[in-house]
Amino acid sequence: MTKRQLRSNFEPGTSRWAVRRAQWRALGLTDEDMEKPKIAIVNTSSELSICFSHLDQVSARVKEAVRAAGGIPFEIRTIAPSDFIISAGRAATYILPSRDLITNDIEVAVEGAQLDGMICLASCDKTTPGQIMAAARIDLPTLVALCGYQASGQYRNHHMDIEEVFLHAGHHAAGKLSFEELKEMSENAIRSPGVCSGMGTANSMHSVCEALGMALPGGAPVRAMSDRMMDYVDRAGSRIVDMVWEDLRPRKILTPGAFRNAAATVLAVSGSINTIKHLQAIAVEAGLDVDVYRMFEELSGEVPILAAVRPIGPNSIEEFEDAGGARGIMKRLEPIIDREALTVTGRTWGEELEDVGIADPEVIRPLDRPFAHKPGIVLLRGSLAPDGAIAKVGLRGPGRPMSFDGPARVFDNSPSAEAALKERVVKPGEVLVLRGMGVRGGPGMGGASRLVFALDGAGLGPDVAVVTDGQLSGLVNVGLVVGEVKPEAFTGGPLGLVKDGDRITIDVDGRSIELHVPQAELAIRREAFVEKPLSAEKGWLSLYGSTVTPLEKGATLVAR
């Protein structure tokens, strides 16, 4: 392989060369090492969450593989945001902004040091998009190593995982489950490190990463710390060194066709709706004029549901992995996807899929025999959401409403909505509007998932629709819930003008969401609308709220 000039090698005798040599010699590097590719190992290790608790071991293994392949690894630490942990602060609004902290953190460390390539250890929800956004921005040879999902447990002879704990916490809040039962569930839900089992945001984003071509094919999903995962990690450490010499950069991989492949994959597994805004953000960082939301709208009529992994269906994430995982989905989608799109292997998806088989055709079904022809993720538009909103309806089982018409019951924050639910103020037939949760209104985008599960626990899941400009956990799959309404209420979108009693109609199959208020009345309300000041007066959330773009632009950061 032809060796090219490495950007980490400065001209001998210059001040940059001299101080760098002094620093790195003190770390034990030799002059021979100075000539090798310098690889950042981006590690989001943390003792705050089980999601990241194994990454130091993974990092050590990757470093060995990089050295064996002729590179020099440098471990770079970033923040490690776990949704279930950092959601405790500021009404869960730290969750989405943590993604952009990761992106900027990587840029400072890797671009500032002028390293030659990087491997990103992807784990919980925001690490994967944050890492790919950084890769797209600085356009440095990058490979994302997917670090696996956690083992689930058993509770009284039934499967138990973090999704069940999350759901049943809502049932406990509604008085339908005892504290002792919930406590026992929480003690038996997780049996190993790794991300949440099931097709929540983390495993959805891992599949997205592979479909984009940014991870070695065959790694999503994977049991954390399994022999298969460690073999995958070894191959990733070796491959990144070759990618540096080949100068294979993210913007060669992140083409419009790659985004189409990722969108098709999400639709085929009815994955987390959070993937859409993350893909849009990655496209923005890659400098692409791609409307990911429109892409999902267009593909939803073409891509059936081929896998039914929890929470939308009966299959476990283990069964999905064993059947072929994301690569198996890509094989099934071969007539639909862009086969010319590149992967980090340097080969096209067409080449990568030549010898791929499906181990279990009942878990990953063919296009002509899907779990469902109708999409599990539906983008809605209408007078209440002129710029769009998203409903995740999964497999549309019995009792799952696909349309709703009723009066609004409006809340400006989650605590007031949860209190009203406990006091039985919320009635069957109403549309519960939870607003002020958008990227600027949070600021940072609050979560509505706890309220949705509380409604389910109260037995109101099928009888009360939820409409919010906030985000939803990838594990939410109950009731009729419309999230990410755009424009958000904080900026004067129609959601911010709704009053108690206003009639709202949701039609999933018609892809519409309408507010039945005369235009003249809305004009009066809009005239009286006053945008509130950001609720965060200082700190990261204040900076985020004052610089974040709307969701349709990926909720990325720009100077105002």
Side-chain angles (χ1 to χ4, degrees):
M1 186 179 298
T2 304
K3 305 292 174 133
R4 66 182 186 87
Q5 179 64 38
L6 299 174
R7 71 173 194 164
S8 64
N9 291 344
F10 300 145
E11 182 181 350
T14 62
S15 61
R16 291 199 302 173
W17 172 86
V19 295
R20 174 165 291 200
R21 184 172 184 273
Q23 286 265 348
W24 286 356
R25 289 281 293 184
L27 287 174
L29 272 64
T30 65
D31 283 340
E32 182 183 9
D33 291 334
M34 302 290 182
E35 302 301 315
K36 298 176 181 179
K38 318 303 185 303
I39 309 297
I41 314 299
V42 180
N43 183 4
T44 54
S45 174
S46 171
E47 293 183 350
L48 276 175
S49 169
I50 195 69
C51 307
F52 310 104
S53 61
H54 59 312
L55 294 191
D56 285 344
Q57 294 171 263
V58 178
S59 179
R61 186 77 171 245
V62 172
K63 286 188 279 189
E64 288 179 10
V66 168
R67 290 190 190 99
I72 300 297
F74 290 97
E75 187 174 45
I76 305 296
R77 301 288 182 131
T78 71
I79 63 164
S82 165
D83 284 19
F84 283 127
I85 300 300
I86 68 166
S87 62
R90 293 298 298 261
T93 52
Y94 280 115
I95 293 174
L96 182 59
S98 68
R99 181 195 72 181
D100 298 80
L101 268 180
I102 291 170
T103 301
N104 288 284
D105 204 357
I106 292 171
E107 179 195 349
V108 170
V110 177
E111 191 67 4
Q114 290 287 284
L115 303 180
D116 301 305
M118 62 180 178
I119 285 188
C120 299
L121 307 186
S123 189
C124 195
D125 297 13
K126 305 306 173 288
T127 60
T128 312
Q131 290 162 350
I132 305 175
M133 287 165 65
R137 179 188 296 177
I138 63 181
D139 199 28
L140 190 73
T142 301
L143 194 156
V144 181
L146 307 172
C147 294
Y149 59 86
Q150 61 196 216
S152 301
Q154 291 282 319
Y155 167 75
R156 302 184 184 181
N157 297 320
H158 293 287
H159 173 90
M160 181 55 54
D161 58 23
I162 193 69
E163 175 207 350
E164 292 288 344
V165 174
F166 195 14
L167 172 64
H168 283 91
H171 292 196
H172 170 67
K176 300 293 181 66
L177 186 79
S178 73
F179 174 75
E180 288 305 318
E181 287 175 300
L182 181 62
K183 180 181 176 185
E184 189 176 343
M185 286 180 178
S186 69
E187 290 167 354
N188 289 280
I190 301 174
R191 287 287 177 262
S192 81
V195 301
C196 300
S197 62
M199 195 56 72
T201 303
N203 277 315
S204 296
M205 276 308 304
H206 289 189
S207 295
V208 159
C209 183
E210 183 166 324
L212 280 174
M214 291 297 293
L216 292 176
V222 64
R223 294 166 173 85
M225 301 307 288
S226 63
D227 290 343
R228 182 169 175 268
M229 186 190 122
M230 300 315 286
D231 174 69
Y232 170 84
V233 163
D234 290 341
R235 290 188 290 115
S238 178
R239 175 60 191 154
I240 187 60
V241 177
D242 286 341
M243 287 177 66
V244 170
W245 291 125
E246 294 166 11
D247 199 26
L248 179 54
R249 297 169 180 258
R251 294 195 180 191
K252 294 179 183 177
I253 296 169
L254 295 172
T255 62
F259 283 86
R260 191 174 190 277
N261 291 349
T265 298
V266 173
L267 288 166
V269 299
S270 191
S272 169
I273 66 173
N274 293 310
T275 58
I276 305 176
K277 60 176 170 285
H278 295 327
L279 278 165
Q280 188 64 66
I282 294 166
V284 169
E285 295 290 1
L288 289 176
D289 184 17
V290 172
D291 187 339
V292 175
Y293 288 89
R294 288 290 185 187
M295 190 176 283
F296 269 81
E297 285 180 283
E298 293 164 3
L299 282 171
S300 64
E302 188 178 353
V303 179
I305 300 176
L306 303 180
V309 179
R310 293 168 57 84
I312 74 150
N315 295 123
S316 67
I317 197 72
E318 290 88 352
E319 290 172 315
F320 181 61
E321 177 191 349
D322 295 343
R327 184 167 54 176
I329 291 290
M330 292 285 281
K331 181 65 176 179
R332 293 296 201 203
L333 293 173
E334 204 165 3
I336 296 173
I337 64 169
D338 182 352
R339 298 175 74 255
E340 296 305 310
L342 277 178
T343 78
V344 288
T345 65
R347 289 155 47 94
T348 66
W349 265 115
E351 293 170 313
E352 289 293 340
L353 293 172
E354 282 180 4
D355 300 319
V356 172
I358 308 298
D360 190 338
E362 293 304 314
V363 175
I364 301 179
R365 294 190 179 179
L367 285 169
D368 60 359
R369 192 174 57 83
F371 282 94
H373 287 283
K374 290 186 175 181
I377 297 172
V378 183
L379 277 79
L380 312 176
R381 294 181 189 271
S383 57
L384 188 56
D387 294 336
I390 311 174
K392 181 177 177 182
V393 294
L395 294 178
R396 307 177 181 224
R400 187 79 177 269
M402 291 297 110
S403 63
F404 205 96
D405 186 284
R409 175 77 67 176
V410 183
F411 299 95
D412 291 316
N413 55 67
S414 287
S416 62
E418 291 170 19
L421 183 60
K422 285 183 179 180
E423 295 164 7
R424 305 194 180 191
V425 173
V426 179
K427 305 297 183 184
E430 293 183 334
V431 178
L432 195 159
V433 173
L434 181 59
R435 65 190 181 191
M437 311 281 282
V439 291
R440 295 203 65 219
M445 204 164 197
S449 305
R450 190 169 69 178
L451 177 63
V452 172
F453 284 150
L455 276 168
D456 185 72
L460 292 173
D463 302 317
V464 173
V466 177
V467 176
T468 179
D469 51 7
Q471 68 179 352
L472 301 167
S473 165
L475 299 175
V476 169
N477 189 52
V478 293
L480 180 51
V481 183
V482 179
E484 302 192 7
V485 171
K486 304 184 291 293
E488 63 175 285
F490 181 85
T491 60
L495 195 69
L497 309 179
V498 178
K499 293 184 177 181
D500 282 345
D502 289 347
R503 184 169 148 242
I504 293 173
T505 301
I506 304 165
D507 182 357
V508 172
D509 289 330
R511 303 191 180 200
S512 67
I513 180 166
E514 303 293 345
L515 173 63
H516 298 284
V517 174
Q519 286 299 316
E521 171 62 19
L522 282 180
I524 294 171
R525 294 183 191 180
R526 188 169 286 110
E527 184 70 25
F529 179 84
V530 177
E531 185 171 316
K532 300 175 184 177
L534 291 175
S535 61
E537 296 178 359
K538 61 181 180 179
W540 168 235
L541 291 182
S542 176
L543 291 171
Y544 181 87
S546 62
T547 58
V548 68
T549 63
L551 274 180
E552 59 269 24
K553 298 184 182 299
T556 53
L557 306 184
V558 295
R560 291 187 184 275

